[in-house]
Amino acid sequence: MKQWICALWLGLGSCVVAAEVLVADATVREMLPGRSMTAGYFSISNKSAAEVELISASSPGFGSIELHQHSHKDGMMKMEQVSSVKIAAGEAVLFQPGGLHLMLFDAKTSITQGQKIPLRLEFKDGQSIDVQAEVSAIPTH
């Protein structure tokens, strides 16, 4: 069944299945000129009967990656690091601009639109998922 779900998702974008966790549509934004950091986005679905907890991410192309979220505090939009992201059984979480996202720091080389960036997502239970994120263009709006 998992292979069938992944095959269906592959028609819509990239996906990776590990145990009962599905990661789809992973992207990393091009870096702004003169910068060595960027952001990453994806959707993660937990098809299992138990909660899973994402605790970290890594990539050989970056010095470090942090889990971040945007929040509104005192009328201001603020970005802050979070220690983990819980995905309830049967639920999905979207990493997207203006919400949860990855911050990728200290790029070892420049990245360009269309390039694939390897990401490893690590979970509290010791499970990890390797994902190929496609580099997307810097938004112009």
Side-chain angles (χ1 to χ4, degrees):
M1 179 68 171
K2 285 186 278 186
Q3 290 80 11
W4 182 84
I5 292 170
C6 192
L8 177 65
W9 275 89
L10 283 172
L12 304 173
S14 64
C15 80
V16 176
V17 175
E20 301 269 342
V21 177
L22 173 74
V23 176
D25 302 322
T27 62
V28 169
R29 282 200 179 151
E30 278 185 300
M31 292 180 288
L32 292 169
R35 300 290 179 128
S36 64
M37 67 179 167
T38 189
Y41 311 105
F42 54 90
S43 65
I44 185 166
S45 300
N46 179 5
K47 304 296 183 185
S48 75
E51 176 181 86
V52 295
E53 187 172 356
L54 178 64
I55 59 169
S56 68
S58 61
S59 175
F62 291 86
S64 65
I65 300 179
E66 297 176 357
L67 305 172
H68 277 234
Q69 72 177 359
H70 279 103
S71 60
H72 292 278
K73 290 187 180 176
D74 300 324
M76 299 287 290
M77 183 74 126
K78 181 179 180 179
M79 183 175 65
E80 57 193 0
Q81 185 177 4
V82 295
S83 60
S84 66
V85 175
K86 295 178 180 180
I87 304 100
E91 298 292 323
V93 172
L94 186 59
F95 282 63
Q96 63 184 351
L100 286 167
H101 59 283
L102 299 179
M103 285 302 301
L104 297 86
F105 298 100
D106 303 319
K108 296 178 180 173
T109 63
S110 62
I111 60 173
T112 57
Q113 185 176 356
Q115 183 180 349
K116 299 286 186 181
I117 303 294
L119 298 174
R120 174 167 280 178
L121 305 177
E122 302 277 346
F123 295 85
K124 187 174 183 178
D125 65 1
Q127 174 181 227
S128 65
I129 298 176
D130 291 324
V131 177
Q132 292 292 315
E134 186 167 340
V135 177
S136 62
I138 299 168
T140 56
H141 56 299

